[in-house]
Amino acid sequence: MEFIPYEHQKKALNDLWEAMQRENVNPCCCVPTGGGKTIIAGYLASAYRKLFPEKRIVILAHVGELVKQNQETVEAICNEPVGIYCSSVQGRKDVDQHIICASIQSIFKRTTIGSKTSPKCGQFDLIIVDEAHRIPDDSETMYRTFLHEQGWLEGGVGGPKIVGLSATPYRLGTGKIYGLGRLFTELAHNMSVLELIDKGILCAPVSQRGAVKTNFSKTKTNRGEFDANSIAETMHPNLPFIAKEIVEKAGERKKWILFTANIKQAEDIAQLLRNQNVSAETIHSKMPKKDRDQVIADFRNGKFKALANVNCLTEGFDVKDIDLVALVRPTKSTSLYVQMVGRGLRTHPNKEDVLILDFGQNVSRHGPIDLPFVRAEQEEGKKKKGAPMKACPECGFNPIPISKLICPECGHAFPKPQSKLQTKASLLGVLSKPMWFQVVSVTCTDYRSIYTGKYSLRATYTICDPDDPSTKMDVSEFLPFNHASDYAKKKCANFWTMRGGQFPIPDNPKRAMDRIGELTEKPVMVQIKRSQNGKHIEVGKVKFKAQPIEQKEVA
């Protein structure tokens, strides 16, 4: 098979190559699931071999399936033999080729010391790490041990050139895997999910909020992540309703993948689907490898419809015609969330889109997959001190304690924290693109900040999904009619005149409320979008019809 790089892959290769030319730079590249990390690795290895024909390259992965997949692709691109150093791939331990694809479990500690079954691999000049987010900060781990054996020193000085490829270049607890003090010194290229969807390289996800609501406020955590058994226990009473909703919303979709917390939950949800005449199987790490391979082969060949898995199919799993992904678990890991959704993003002639059903409050917790919230609990090995802070999306004032619900500068009201699934982010979906919603009602309130005493007019829109009127939420915009800035004046003037208000434009919020009866044009549709950082929700364009706007007293 011939592999020809797309333009987005060529751009990534150019950016990586430019970064590699600089001293003490180990670049990282963000490539969304389905964006072709293996092809990028193959062409990077090919270019390096042509320029340095005597130098050696190793491409690391954490599972045998990825090692074999990498070897086949890279060998086809480079047009030369590519070795495998991985016990789970027919026990192969090749060391003579210039390019080796290896599992980290097999090759670490084999730089200079060999055995009868595992020969020493020697030194490499270029190390390419697939799924680079798996490299932890702990210096005693397999990855770090191998890198130290190869001559890499903390701080990025010396040793081979190291390149990281990942769809999710961040880790739970430590945030981004690149930057000051990290193994990877910079993010050389950040490939856009939206761009790949617009070009037809990836499939568009369609999200629906799960109507079944689960409260995870009392779910236990373990090392920063929700405890798997506690998740299963919390969600167990709702599983029959979740299974019923999956079947109802799936419609004619043919290939479903479900992510669950533990084996019992996977088996339970699979049985509940079978009870509704849906063919379903489970897969988990306790199964023998040959049994897992058989289940995946049967799923790929369409012998059953739904596959419930436990931490088996988040990486290196390539079934292109998956058209439904159900998140039947919460996670605090942004990386895991993006990887789960990414299983359905590959294109296939048999599907137009992929339906994402989130029963774990993950979209609200992590944001859209193309603009996720990456939180770093630690920085340079130390826990951050002090209370977490935020910035106001209306006036930009910061820092504001995360617990405060009102901006002390402009009076903007932050949404109250919610522990259940019914949240704004869930309704907005898994992409950051603006979305149109039906307006159920509009309420204007004369709002006063409890901190500054300043007034503004707050327009609150109760909105719903046009295809599902039961999915309601409120979103507000604030109109400071007496603000001095040109931006605020223009915003207030547009709001007033587009809704039928007469001239002159009110010069303060109280006068605006006194004349609220002039606003006879009621929005019937409103466009909701995320702010540039993805963390806040903003009101965009509106569509109108004639109907008075409801008035309320001062909040």
Side-chain angles (χ1 to χ4, degrees):
M1 181 182 292
E2 184 179 5
F3 294 93
I4 300 175
Y6 288 102
E7 286 302 317
H8 71 277
Q9 293 165 335
K10 292 179 181 178
K11 181 65 167 64
L13 284 164
N14 289 336
D15 290 347
L16 280 172
W17 192 257
E18 187 278 328
M20 288 170 61
Q21 308 311 305
R22 289 181 271 124
E23 188 177 1
N24 296 329
V25 171
N26 293 323
C28 178
C29 178
C30 177
V31 186
T33 301
K37 292 194 304 295
T38 310
I39 293 175
I40 292 172
Y43 275 97
L44 191 64
S46 177
Y48 192 83
R49 284 280 293 127
K50 290 176 182 177
L51 193 62
F52 307 107
E54 299 304 316
K55 293 192 175 184
R56 303 179 71 223
I57 304 168
V58 63
I59 301 173
L60 298 177
H62 66 287
V63 291
E65 290 87 346
L66 279 178
V67 172
K68 182 60 176 172
Q69 174 184 308
N70 290 344
Q71 185 263 348
E72 292 173 348
T73 303
V74 174
E75 189 169 81
I77 291 172
C78 296
N79 196 28
E80 67 172 282
V82 173
I84 289 179
Y85 199 106
C86 179
S87 299
S88 63
V89 182
Q90 300 174 337
R92 289 179 59 177
K93 300 291 178 66
D94 303 329
V95 294
D96 295 330
Q97 296 85 353
H98 280 85
I99 305 175
I100 304 291
C101 292
S103 69
I104 187 61
Q105 295 90 339
S106 296
I107 205 169
F108 95 110
K109 290 188 176 180
R110 294 305 178 196
T111 297
T112 58
I113 301 174
S115 68
K116 289 183 179 180
T117 58
S118 300
K120 64 179 182 180
C121 62
Q123 295 289 331
F124 293 96
D125 304 285
L126 172 63
I127 300 174
I128 301 174
V129 186
D130 194 5
E131 308 292 359
H133 59 276
R134 286 192 159 268
I135 303 179
D137 287 338
D138 188 351
S139 61
E140 301 301 319
T141 59
M142 289 184 286
Y143 278 105
R144 298 274 175 168
T145 298
F146 178 73
L147 295 176
H148 285 306
E149 290 173 352
Q150 290 288 321
W152 176 79
L153 302 175
E154 297 289 346
V157 180
K161 185 66 68 175
I162 306 171
V163 175
L165 301 174
S166 175
T168 53
Y170 31 81
R171 285 180 59 83
L172 177 64
T174 55
K176 296 173 182 177
I177 65 173
Y178 55 88
L180 184 64
R182 304 293 190 195
L183 166 61
F184 300 104
T185 53
E186 63 182 63
L187 184 66
H189 185 82
N190 188 11
M191 202 174 289
S192 166
V193 174
L194 286 179
E195 179 184 349
L196 299 189
I197 291 173
D198 290 340
K199 290 181 177 180
I201 295 168
L202 293 183
C203 174
V206 177
S207 63
Q208 290 191 27
R209 181 183 58 175
V212 179
K213 305 174 182 65
T214 302
N215 189 335
F216 297 106
S217 61
K218 295 183 180 180
T219 304
K220 297 176 182 178
T221 59
N222 183 8
R223 296 182 179 181
E225 173 63 296
F226 287 113
D227 179 80
N229 293 331
S230 185
I231 292 172
E233 182 181 349
T234 302
M235 299 190 74
H236 184 73
N238 283 340
L239 276 189
F241 307 104
I242 290 173
K244 184 174 183 293
E245 184 175 347
I246 291 173
V247 174
E248 289 175 349
K249 291 188 173 179
E252 299 300 316
R253 295 178 185 270
K254 296 179 175 61
K255 195 160 288 188
W256 315 347
I257 184 172
L258 291 72
F259 290 93
T260 60
N262 66 11
I263 295 174
K264 186 178 186 306
Q265 188 189 34
E267 292 174 342
D268 287 347
I269 193 76
Q271 184 58 53
L272 288 165
L273 292 175
R274 287 192 288 267
N275 292 345
Q276 298 181 73
N277 298 318
V278 174
S279 54
E281 299 292 340
T282 61
I283 185 171
H284 50 80
S285 59
K286 297 294 179 66
M287 297 170 62
K289 184 178 183 302
K290 64 176 183 178
D291 292 348
R292 293 202 308 270
D293 292 344
Q294 186 61 55
V295 169
I296 291 174
D298 290 345
F299 181 63
R300 193 185 304 274
N301 294 328
K303 292 187 177 181
F304 59 91
K305 180 175 287 188
L307 179 57
N309 87 99
V310 186
N311 299 328
C312 284
L313 307 179
T314 55
E315 297 167 342
F317 175 68
D318 182 10
V319 177
K320 293 181 172 60
D321 53 342
I322 290 172
D323 53 8
L324 185 150
V325 176
L327 311 183
V328 195
R329 58 156 298 167
T331 179
K332 292 189 176 183
S333 169
T334 304
S335 175
L336 177 58
Y337 156 66
V338 174
Q339 293 280 1
M340 289 190 295
V341 174
R343 293 309 102 195
L345 295 186
R346 298 183 188 274
T347 58
H348 191 275
N350 292 343
K351 70 178 187 181
E352 295 182 1
D353 53 39
V354 57
L355 176 63
I356 310 297
L357 298 177
D358 180 17
F359 297 97
Q361 201 176 348
N362 295 295
V363 178
S364 60
R365 187 177 298 107
H366 301 290
I369 59 169
D370 59 308
L371 205 62
F373 311 152
V374 181
R375 302 174 178 87
E377 295 177 4
Q378 300 178 5
E379 186 173 35
E380 297 181 5
K382 297 181 180 180
K383 291 240 177 172
K384 290 186 176 181
K385 296 181 179 180
M389 310 299 280
K390 61 186 174 183
C392 177
E394 287 296 320
C395 68
F397 180 82
N398 72 86
I400 303 171
I402 199 74
S403 60
K404 297 296 183 183
L405 298 180
I406 304 296
C407 172
E409 178 65 18
C410 70
H412 168 71
F414 292 95
K416 293 182 180 181
Q418 298 186 17
S419 60
K420 294 188 176 182
L421 190 59
Q422 190 173 356
T423 62
K424 293 180 180 178
S426 294
L427 186 55
L428 274 176
V430 295
L431 288 177
S432 62
K433 279 188 173 182
M435 297 175 62
W436 284 97
F437 293 93
Q438 182 178 331
V439 177
V440 178
S441 63
V442 186
T443 301
C444 286
T445 302
D446 187 7
Y447 182 82
R448 183 185 184 188
S449 168
I450 62 175
Y451 293 98
T452 65
K454 295 179 181 179
Y455 282 87
S456 62
L457 186 146
R458 178 170 65 185
T460 301
Y461 303 83
T462 299
I463 63 175
C464 70
D465 186 334
D467 298 324
D468 186 2
S470 67
T471 56
K472 296 180 182 179
M473 76 175 191
D474 291 338
V475 61
S476 298
E477 63 176 330
F478 293 80
L479 293 306
F481 277 86
N482 56 354
H483 201 283
S485 73
D486 291 339
Y487 171 79
K489 289 179 179 178
K490 183 178 179 180
K491 177 180 178 180
C492 293
N494 286 341
F495 175 89
W496 189 258
T497 56
M498 290 175 67
R499 287 156 179 77
Q502 305 298 310
F503 287 98
I505 306 297
D507 58 3
N508 65 58
K510 286 188 174 294
R511 290 194 177 97
M513 285 299 298
D514 290 340
R515 297 168 55 190
I516 203 71
E518 298 177 23
L519 307 187
T520 58
E521 296 290 331
K522 177 191 173 185
V524 294
M525 297 289 290
V526 62
Q527 189 185 61
I528 305 300
K529 59 183 181 179
R530 295 183 186 273
S531 58
Q532 284 190 340
N533 63 11
K535 297 183 179 181
H536 306 292
I537 295 173
E538 300 174 347
V539 175
K541 300 176 182 179
V542 292
K543 297 178 183 178
F544 295 92
K545 75 173 184 179
Q547 184 173 339
I549 293 180
E550 181 183 351
Q551 179 178 352
K552 283 192 176 182
E553 299 299 325
V554 177

